[in-house]
Amino acid sequence: MTRLTVYQNCNILPKVVDERIRALFRSNWQHTLTYWSVFFSFGLCIAFLGPTILDLRCQTRSTLQGITLVFFSQQFCLFVGSTVGGFFSKSLGRRNFPEAVLKGRSKESDKPNVFAFIPACVNLPMLAVAMATAGLAMGVIDTISNLQLVKIYQKDSTVFLQALHFFVGLGALVSPLIADPFLSETDCVLGNATINSSSTVRHLRNKLSGRHIHNVSNIHFHTEGQVLTNVSYAFWIMALINLPVPIAVFVLIYWERMLSCRCEHNPHLLEGSIHMYGLKEERSSEQQEVISPEHTDSRGYLKLLNCCPLSKLKELPLSFFGVHILGGLVLFFSDGIVGSYTGFVYTYAVSPPINMSHKTAGYLSSVFWTSITVGRLASIVLSYRVKPVLLLTINQVGVMVTLFVLLLCYTSSVFLFVGTGLLGLFISSVYPCMLALTEDILDYKGCATTVLVTCAGMGEMLLQLLVGSVIHSYGSYSFLLCGLVFGCMGFTLFFMLLVIDHIHRHYMAAAPRTISEADVARH
């Protein structure tokens, strides 16, 4: 059965999508479905550590302060993996680019292996190494999946990026449901007479599920005694659930290697990888023979992530760098809001003046992720009808206004739930829309995606630490104030990006003919 026959028997695109996009999907459905499944696995993995952290503490017989270091090791390596993934996919030449992508995809096989290995981690260093390995693999996958969908669909990538990030939210929703039946209700190291209340353990688990690693130094657990925990079953189930994903990746690798001519005839995987800046118009066959990939390599056009030719740095407009910087900063604050909100909304809710019960406050994080998932699902349809710049404008204004109203109604527990849902809806599609917008501005070279994914990971990691320190120093009220400041800064940077976009498009409208003639003459 051919791949086209498989697609025709399972056409998942709705009829409202026009035939051009359906044809694009039909040509690339194997890659697209694989990336979507990879990101569902990504969501499962990223949300699984928080709920299980107390049981893992028992398993490794470590202190609470020690086990929270696992959060840092995973998050830091995820950031490193995002950066490495960009360099990994862009540092090779045109002839080796498909092989780089395939090697990056094969990183997906690390995750089921890691989940199966975690129950065997009997001490903290082994667990930290395992989670760091998973974080590194997830970071590489994050960059390459976004990068490849942008390259495949280009101007139509918004719809498919929205679907990609929808699967992250879906995985993050499903993950705690898998873990919950196997979590200990009380301290799982017997002999601990200090903390044995199920409500206390639930309260602490809710804090740590949001990766809240601050202000836990005053809580002490025993590390010696009989360990009673069933969390190993949860990790084995996760390993089994994740197992089909690397199988799908290896099937795709098998197809790529069996079709040796595919690399030459699939322009979606290759186009934009070695385009010279400003050379967007079509060339004749004679010109394309003159400007060969090998010749391009020798002239240094594949340097600096294949986007900024070293020999032409002085000719690049400042707007080129401005788009990268501003786009990255917008996602720095956007993902920073997501990370800090999920990390500290529970702590804010159970603190004065709201003083919400522990059980009720525990639902806030679920409400937030549910609204993000629903928002991304709705954005799949909206992005087909609405341009990314308009969606981003609505989202940025909505995030800022919601955080402002939350700050005004800081004593209302009801509006905290309503505002949490609205914030999730507005912020849900910022990430994929920003990727699509910046790549559209820069002619889909793929380098903007690498910069943006890296900045987003950095923002989620650093701003969460910053907010935690501010809350620890000034109280829980500063939580919403920090969010509003981040939202205003994100909106301001987005407005600046629109201005730079206008300047850059005017430059590109005037520059291509002159640059193209000069480059062709030089070659």
Side-chain angles (χ1 to χ4, degrees):
M1 182 179 292
T2 65
R3 285 175 285 171
L4 180 57
T5 304
V6 173
Y7 166 79
Q8 290 172 339
N9 291 336
C10 185
N11 190 347
I12 66 172
L13 286 184
K15 296 298 183 183
V16 296
V17 178
D18 62 38
E19 183 56 36
R20 179 177 57 83
I21 295 183
R22 291 164 65 88
L24 278 174
F25 179 76
R26 185 163 54 245
S27 301
N28 300 279
W29 68 269
Q30 306 97 322
H31 300 83
T32 306
L33 293 182
T34 301
Y35 293 134
W36 288 351
S37 65
V38 164
F39 256 54
F40 175 72
S41 175
F42 183 95
L44 287 173
C45 298
I46 203 68
F48 202 68
L49 179 60
T52 60
I53 195 71
L54 290 181
D55 289 81
L56 290 175
R57 185 206 70 82
C58 298
Q59 177 182 298
T60 56
R61 298 178 182 273
S62 58
T63 63
L64 188 60
Q65 295 74 32
I67 197 67
T68 52
L69 294 177
V70 177
F71 280 136
F72 178 78
S73 67
Q74 185 194 49
Q75 193 68 34
F76 178 75
C77 288
L78 196 153
F79 164 70
V80 172
S82 299
T83 307
V84 170
F87 281 90
F88 184 62
S89 62
K90 301 296 293 180
S91 61
L92 299 179
R94 174 174 182 171
R95 292 169 295 176
N96 295 327
F97 182 74
E99 285 77 3
V101 174
L102 294 177
K103 290 177 182 178
R105 289 171 186 158
S106 65
K107 290 283 185 183
E108 176 63 25
S109 62
D110 291 345
K111 289 191 289 185
N113 295 335
V114 169
F115 275 110
F117 175 72
I118 285 176
C121 295
V122 295
N123 56 56
L124 190 60
M126 291 176 63
L127 181 63
V129 170
M131 298 311 300
T133 302
L136 187 65
M138 288 188 290
V140 173
I141 291 164
D142 188 11
T143 300
I144 289 182
S145 298
N146 282 288
L147 180 64
Q148 283 305 103
L149 280 185
V150 166
K151 285 180 171 295
I152 290 172
Y153 293 103
Q154 300 206 353
K155 288 188 178 296
D156 301 300
S157 61
T158 310
V159 176
F160 298 94
L161 286 172
Q162 295 286 2
L164 182 74
H165 290 271
F166 160 75
F167 282 106
V168 176
L170 183 62
L173 281 178
V174 172
S175 188
L177 300 178
I178 299 172
D180 188 66
F182 304 98
L183 301 180
S184 302
E185 289 295 325
T186 59
D187 184 25
C188 43
V189 177
L190 297 184
N192 187 355
T194 307
I195 299 178
N196 199 36
S197 169
S198 60
S199 61
T200 304
V201 171
R202 188 182 304 113
H203 168 61
L204 185 58
R205 180 174 285 119
N206 286 333
K207 291 180 66 174
L208 294 175
S209 292
R211 298 174 182 267
H212 184 176
I213 61 177
H214 297 270
N215 199 26
V216 295
S217 58
N218 61 330
I219 303 175
H220 299 283
F221 285 97
H222 286 293
T223 58
E224 299 298 330
Q226 184 181 0
V227 175
L228 292 178
T229 176
N230 296 318
V231 74
S232 298
Y233 296 107
F235 283 99
W236 288 330
I237 291 173
M238 281 291 290
L240 290 175
I241 293 174
N242 279 277
L243 188 59
V245 178
I247 291 176
V249 171
F250 283 122
V251 168
L252 189 58
I253 292 175
Y254 174 79
W255 278 340
E256 293 281 356
R257 290 177 176 174
M258 287 296 293
L259 301 177
S260 59
C261 61
R262 182 178 178 84
C263 298
E264 301 175 5
H265 294 287
N266 190 347
H268 300 299
L269 288 176
L270 299 175
E271 60 189 4
S273 298
I274 61 165
H275 283 181
M276 292 178 292
Y277 186 77
L279 299 178
K280 297 191 293 183
E281 56 281 307
E282 296 180 358
R283 301 184 178 95
S284 65
S285 58
E286 291 81 3
Q287 290 172 332
Q288 292 193 6
E289 289 178 1
V290 172
I291 308 177
S292 62
E294 292 78 4
H295 195 79
T296 304
D297 280 336
S298 64
R299 291 299 182 97
Y301 286 105
L302 292 178
K303 305 300 181 184
L304 201 58
L305 291 183
N306 298 357
C307 296
C308 304
L310 294 179
S311 60
K312 298 177 64 178
L313 281 177
K314 294 182 179 180
E315 300 177 27
L316 294 175
L318 292 178
S319 59
F320 174 83
F321 302 101
V323 170
H324 285 83
I325 294 172
L326 291 174
L329 287 176
V330 169
L331 284 191
F332 179 89
F333 287 104
S334 174
D335 259 40
I337 291 173
V338 173
S340 60
Y341 200 86
T342 55
F344 299 102
V345 67
Y346 173 84
T347 302
Y348 171 76
V350 298
S351 303
I354 294 182
N355 291 319
M356 193 179 296
S357 68
H358 296 167
K359 183 177 181 180
T360 304
Y363 294 118
L364 282 167
S365 182
S366 298
V367 169
F368 186 64
W369 276 109
T370 300
S371 61
I372 286 180
T373 306
V374 171
R376 286 172 177 170
L377 182 62
S379 296
I380 296 174
V381 179
L382 287 175
S383 58
Y384 177 66
R385 301 293 183 184
V386 183
K387 292 183 178 180
V389 65
L390 180 57
L391 271 179
L392 278 169
T393 303
I394 296 172
N395 290 336
Q396 292 288 347
V397 173
V399 167
M400 189 170 56
V401 171
T402 301
L403 288 168
F404 178 72
V405 177
L406 276 170
L407 188 60
L408 289 179
C409 305
Y410 68 97
T411 59
S412 173
S413 58
V414 174
F415 190 76
L416 181 59
F417 273 93
V418 175
T420 298
L422 290 175
L423 181 62
L425 287 174
F426 283 120
I427 209 168
S428 60
S429 59
V430 171
Y431 197 133
C433 283
M434 183 58 66
L435 293 182
L437 176 63
T438 50
E439 286 293 352
D440 179 57
I441 297 172
L442 298 171
D443 194 31
Y444 301 95
K445 293 179 176 64
C447 299
T449 297
T450 299
V451 174
L452 265 60
V453 171
T454 302
C455 288
M458 186 185 301
E460 184 178 2
M461 180 174 62
L462 296 182
L463 293 188
Q464 190 172 356
L465 294 174
L466 175 62
V467 172
S469 300
V470 172
I471 291 176
H472 182 63
S473 301
Y474 299 99
S476 61
Y477 180 80
S478 57
F479 162 68
L480 291 178
L481 182 60
C482 288
L484 180 59
V485 171
F486 297 156
C488 291
M489 293 184 72
F491 176 78
T492 303
L493 291 165
F494 174 68
F495 180 78
M496 293 172 62
L497 177 65
L498 296 183
V499 175
I500 296 297
D501 175 24
H502 180 73
I503 295 172
H504 187 76
R505 291 185 189 276
H506 273 279
Y507 172 85
M508 291 304 298
R513 182 178 299 277
T514 302
I515 295 176
S516 177
E517 291 173 355
D519 281 326
V520 172
R522 186 185 302 117
H523 283 290

